[in-house]
């Protein structure tokens, strides 16, 4: 396979393995926003994508789909357990999300992380053309930028961090804190969701490595008496708005939204939560607040229903199995206490849904509840806004999401404050149509103008500025 001028490196390839009509295995492009943002550019720039195909011990040759070269990285079952489920998702994930769950620090997990990051870096270094660009994505691959730079000092390297970066007091817990910082500083541009995340990173660099930091620029040693500049700043990610707008306008999707309302007993208000089943998402907090509103008689099950979509996530990690038990117990208790024959307090859906069904749910919902305890961005909030061409609906949004920096017309909440969350839900339930319209128009303007294409373009412009051709 020929070398590429532009190489994306991510934990997963942008395709899913599915069974074809005759039982044969096929690859289908994943519906993620990152794929949509980069696909046109990768086609025009002869791009390649380095990633794991999602199955342990699967050895594949590079292949091509839709004009993009895909370069699979093989992981053994042990590496999936130690690098991915272990270090990435049981060490880095909880640490970077404010230690909502306790991180686990195991040396063998770290060793697997180093080995796998090197494998990704070697694949990227082999795939990129001379003076090309490598764009590395997310917390699973924080060592890759430095490793690529050592192998290919001619290339431009970007890194984007999709999750939060923790304050130094928390980050300092990580036994391998300096190695991770040096890994990230291999990039020319290190992008974060929020300005706060970039500040936390720069503080860690200053305090741990003692490198000179001026504004967003870091002077990184590059040889005896030599330095190069790395830039760390915010590039808030967004969504590909077009599919959501198009689906929301379809008569059959609108009819499905009406059908959903009918199936719930046509309540006056539908509240909606859409999350991965993750302890960072604050699902338990919103269920507790809603249950207390019902118990106090401030809301009534005949009038208001909560639909909670909680798609399965990392079910082999103990913390997630415990969380599922807690959520399902809370739901069953509230439903047992408050349901009537014709109305259910909480419709709990532990499964994923195709985009068409999600858009129908967004259209059916009067109030979108995003109560994350910590979230890099939260694209569900932006998806809900994109579908609301009617300028109706209310977004209740945690101030601990990256989206809260941009979506200022949402009803903002501290999800840890259950009384405040209850008041916010009541405000949203009773918000007059005129006030809904005023807020939603401003929210939609922001989301439609700052879509995922604008995000990727701004990041790549920053790369060109730091490392011009």
């Amino acid at each position: 396979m020929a070398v590429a001028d532009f190489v994306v490196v991510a934990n997963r390839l942008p395709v899913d393995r599915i069974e074809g009509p005759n039982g044969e295995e096929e690859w289908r492009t994943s519906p993620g926003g990152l794929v949509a943002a980069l696909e046109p550019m990768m086609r025009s720039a002869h791009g390649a994508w380095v990633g794991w195909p999602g199955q342990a011990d699967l050895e594949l040759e590079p292949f091509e789909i839709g004009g993009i070269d895909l370069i699979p990285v093989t992981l053994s079952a042990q590496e999936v357990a130690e690098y991915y489920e272990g270090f990435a998702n049981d060490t880095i994930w909880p640490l970077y999300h404010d230690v909502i769950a306790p991180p686990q620090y195991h040396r063998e997990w770290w060793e697997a992380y180093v080995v796998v990051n090197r494998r990704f870096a070697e694949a990227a270094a082999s795939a990129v053309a001379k003076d090309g660009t490598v764009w590395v994505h997310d917390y699973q691959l924080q060592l890759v930028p430095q490793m690529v730079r050592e192998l290919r000092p001619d290339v431009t390297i970007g890194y984007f961090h999709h999750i939060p970066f923790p304050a130094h007091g928390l980050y300092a817990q990580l036994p391998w804190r300096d190695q991770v910082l040096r890994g990230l500083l291999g990039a020319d541009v290190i992008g974060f969701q929020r300005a706060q995340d970039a500040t936390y990173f720069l503080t860690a660099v200053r305090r741990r490595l003692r490198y000179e930091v001026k504004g967003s620029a870091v002077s990184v040693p590059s040889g005896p008496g030599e330095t190069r500049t790395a830039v760390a700043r915010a590039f808030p990610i967004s969504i590909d708005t077009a599919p959501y707008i198009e689906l929301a306008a379809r008569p059959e999707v609108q009819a499905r939204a009406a059908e959903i309302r009918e199936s719930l007993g046509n309540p006056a208000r539908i509240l909606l939560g859409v999350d991965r089943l993750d302890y960072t998402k604050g699902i338990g907090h919103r269920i507790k607040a809603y249950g207390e509103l019902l118990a106090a008689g401030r809301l009534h099950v005949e009038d208001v229903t909560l639909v909670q979509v909680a798609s399965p996530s990392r079910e082999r990690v103990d913390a997630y199995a415990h969380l599922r038990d807690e959520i399902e117990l809370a739901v069953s208790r509230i439903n047992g206490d408050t349901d009537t024959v014709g109305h259910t307090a909480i419709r709990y859906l532990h499964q994923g849904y195709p985009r068409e069904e999600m858009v129908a749910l967004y259209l059916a919902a009067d109030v979108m509840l995003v109560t994350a305890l910590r979230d890099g961005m939260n694209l569900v909030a932006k998806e809900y806004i994109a579908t609301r061409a009617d300028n109706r609906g209310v977004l209740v949004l945690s101030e601990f999401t990256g989206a809260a920096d941009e979506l200022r017309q949402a009803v903002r909440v501290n999800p840890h404050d259950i009384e405040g969350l209850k008041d916010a839900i009541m405000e949203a339930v009773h918000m007059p149509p005129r006030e809904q319209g005023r807020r939603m128009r401003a929210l939609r303007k922001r989301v439609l103008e700052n879509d995922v294409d604008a995000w990727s373009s701004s990041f790549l412009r920053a790369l060109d500025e730091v490392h011009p051709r």
Side-chain angles (χ1 to χ4, degrees):
M1 190 167 281
V3 292
D5 295 319
F6 184 82
V7 176
V8 169
V9 189
N11 179 62
R12 286 292 302 271
L13 288 173
V15 289
D16 297 317
R17 206 173 198 188
I18 60 168
E19 190 173 297
N22 301 316
E24 74 280 12
E25 289 190 325
E26 296 179 354
W27 293 98
R28 179 181 60 193
T29 303
S30 306
L34 185 61
V35 185
L38 302 181
E39 198 171 25
M41 178 194 353
M42 294 187 79
R43 282 184 177 148
S44 62
H46 181 62
W49 191 302
V50 175
W52 175 48
Q55 186 177 326
D57 297 306
L58 182 62
E59 296 192 18
L60 297 171
E61 291 299 313
F63 60 103
E64 183 265 337
I65 285 184
I68 301 172
D69 291 339
L70 303 181
I71 301 172
V73 173
T74 302
L75 299 182
S76 69
Q78 183 174 351
E79 286 168 340
V80 172
E82 293 181 346
Y83 144 79
Y84 181 67
E85 293 171 352
F87 193 80
N89 289 321
D90 218 3
T91 301
I92 293 296
W93 181 270
L95 177 65
Y96 284 27
H97 285 87
D98 291 352
V99 194
I100 294 167
Q104 305 296 314
Y105 302 118
H106 297 295
R107 284 168 290 182
E108 61 271 23
W109 289 2
W110 164 253
E111 289 160 7
Y113 188 79
V114 173
V115 167
V116 171
N117 270 243
R118 183 165 290 117
R119 193 174 304 149
F120 275 84
E122 288 169 351
S126 298
V128 66
K130 181 172 172 54
D131 299 322
T133 297
V134 174
W135 192 0
V136 184
H137 287 269
D138 223 4
Y139 65 103
Q140 301 96 342
L141 303 173
Q142 293 174 101
L143 307 181
V144 169
Q146 180 190 33
M147 291 172 170
V148 171
R149 183 165 297 282
E150 290 168 355
L151 293 166
R152 292 292 304 273
D154 59 299
V155 304
T156 303
I157 304 168
Y159 172 88
F160 187 76
H161 195 75
H162 291 254
I163 69 172
F165 195 88
H168 184 259
L170 293 176
Y171 181 74
Q173 291 184 24
L174 184 66
W176 309 279
R177 55 203 178 181
D178 295 355
Q179 294 96 309
V180 169
L181 292 176
R182 290 192 182 97
L184 295 172
L185 286 168
D188 296 292
V189 175
I190 305 111
F192 296 92
Q193 301 281 25
R194 311 180 79 169
Q196 179 189 69
D197 296 323
T199 299
Y200 286 161
F201 171 76
L202 292 167
T203 299
V205 168
R206 190 186 294 113
R207 293 181 65 174
R208 298 295 324 156
L209 303 181
R210 308 290 183 187
Y211 292 171
E212 183 182 7
V213 177
K214 288 186 178 178
S216 62
V218 182
S219 294
V220 184
S222 58
E226 296 180 357
T227 61
R228 61 177 186 82
T229 299
V231 169
R233 63 183 181 85
F235 299 86
I237 200 169
S238 194
I239 61 169
D240 181 13
T241 57
Y244 291 94
I245 294 168
E246 189 269 325
L247 282 169
R250 284 190 195 172
E252 65 270 25
V253 176
Q254 294 174 1
R256 175 62 186 144
E259 191 177 279
I260 289 169
R261 292 194 76 97
E262 180 75 26
S263 71
L264 296 170
N266 277 319
R269 293 286 183 270
I270 294 174
L271 315 179
L272 176 64
V274 175
D275 310 87
R276 281 189 310 104
L277 188 59
D278 192 291
Y279 49 74
T280 64
K281 301 299 185 182
I283 300 170
H285 294 64
R286 85 180 61 130
I287 288 172
K288 181 178 178 63
Y290 175 64
E292 289 187 9
L293 288 170
L294 290 172
R298 294 174 69 185
L299 294 178
H300 300 281
V301 72
E302 296 87 357
D303 300 325
V304 180
T305 295
L306 169 61
V307 177
Q308 177 61 58
V309 178
S311 56
S313 174
R314 300 171 190 160
E315 295 181 294
R316 288 168 53 178
V317 178
D318 285 346
Y320 289 80
H322 294 318
L323 176 68
R324 180 177 180 182
D325 290 343
E326 289 172 15
I327 297 298
E328 292 180 357
L329 181 60
V331 169
S332 63
R333 280 180 173 161
I334 292 169
N335 285 347
D337 289 343
T338 60
D339 280 7
T340 66
V341 172
H343 293 88
T344 294
I346 304 173
R347 185 67 61 86
Y348 175 75
L349 306 165
H350 181 58
Q351 53 197 287
Y353 290 94
R355 185 181 284 173
E356 290 82 356
E357 184 73 355
M358 291 311 308
V359 171
L361 279 165
Y362 292 148
L363 292 178
D366 302 286
V367 178
M368 185 82 218
L369 298 176
V370 176
T371 58
L373 308 180
R374 192 81 162 91
D375 214 335
M377 177 52 62
N378 194 284
L379 296 179
V380 163
K382 296 186 175 184
E383 291 171 5
Y384 179 71
I385 290 165
T387 64
R388 301 309 302 222
D390 59 356
N391 291 319
R392 289 290 177 269
V394 184
L395 173 63
V396 175
L397 182 62
S398 165
E399 62 193 60
F400 302 117
T401 63
D405 289 354
E406 300 177 88
L407 306 180
R408 298 186 180 276
Q409 291 76 23
V411 177
R412 290 164 62 96
V413 292
N414 170 4
H416 298 282
D417 174 10
I418 299 298
E419 289 300 323
L421 180 51
K422 286 155 65 176
D423 290 342
I425 291 171
M426 294 304 295
E427 179 186 350
V429 165
H430 294 298
M431 187 176 290
R434 187 171 179 178
E435 176 69 3
Q436 291 182 34
R438 184 188 70 78
R439 290 174 181 252
M440 189 57 74
R441 276 189 290 273
L443 290 169
R444 282 179 60 76
K445 184 174 188 293
R446 177 78 189 186
V447 170
L448 298 186
E449 287 178 357
N450 295 279
D451 63 2
V452 74
D453 186 54
W455 165 77
S456 60
S457 298
S458 68
F459 188 95
L460 294 170
R461 276 196 307 274
L463 265 185
D464 284 339
E465 288 166 9
V466 172
H467 200 160
R469 302 304 157 90

